[in-house]
Amino acid sequence: MTESTDTIFDQFPGGIFPAACSSRVLLDHVMSKWGVLVLVSLTDGPQRWSDLRRRAQGISEKMLAQTLKTLEGDGLVHREQQPVMPPRVDYSLTPLGEELAEVMVPLLRWVGRNADGIIGT
């Protein structure tokens, strides 16, 4: 496999993430505190609303709904309403969301290993 000699800066000739760049919006969606936690929670497979709320401790119902709606709109999360009573909705990663989670998980592992040493206890 040949390594590219391009840098991240070559990808954005107008400057890294200029103000009008759509990458800034997407970064805001996926790298927000709740965006990260929801995306990584879904790496275990489909989750119900209550499962996601339990995993992302401290998230309000409003923020969970807003985050899921945003990530669904970005094509990263799939929402599937089950035809049962009582109503049931499952959330899962789309193929694009799985690709994103694949690169986010190593970052979160690094954070987990280093957070106490950097922030302290």
Side-chain angles (χ1 to χ4, degrees):
M1 174 163 72
T2 307
E3 286 190 39
S4 172
T5 58
D6 291 344
T7 69
I8 187 75
F9 302 101
D10 295 329
Q11 192 174 358
F12 300 95
I16 187 96
F17 305 119
C21 187
S22 59
S23 59
R24 279 197 180 185
V25 174
L26 184 58
L27 271 173
D28 186 41
H29 294 175
V30 301
M31 297 307 290
S32 70
K33 173 173 55 175
W34 303 122
V36 168
L37 293 176
V38 168
L39 288 166
V40 172
S41 291
L42 291 172
T43 61
D44 277 349
Q47 306 276 320
R48 295 176 74 179
W49 171 278
S50 58
D51 297 327
L52 289 169
R53 183 121 193 263
R54 198 171 16 262
R55 285 181 161 211
Q57 292 180 10
I59 193 170
S60 68
E61 288 186 15
K62 178 183 176 183
M63 279 309 302
L64 180 56
Q66 189 175 352
T67 301
L68 286 167
K69 187 175 182 177
T70 298
L71 296 174
E72 183 183 3
D74 291 338
L76 301 170
V77 170
H78 174 71
R79 180 185 189 274
E80 184 172 352
Q81 189 161 348
Q82 304 295 331
V84 295
M85 283 310 253
R88 174 184 168 155
V89 177
D90 291 322
Y91 296 92
S92 60
L93 293 173
T94 64
L96 193 59
E98 289 174 357
E99 184 181 340
L100 174 61
E102 204 173 287
V103 295
M104 288 178 86
V105 167
L107 171 64
L108 291 178
R109 284 191 180 122
W110 182 90
V111 168
R113 281 193 311 268
N114 293 287
D116 285 344
I118 294 170
I119 304 300
T121 51

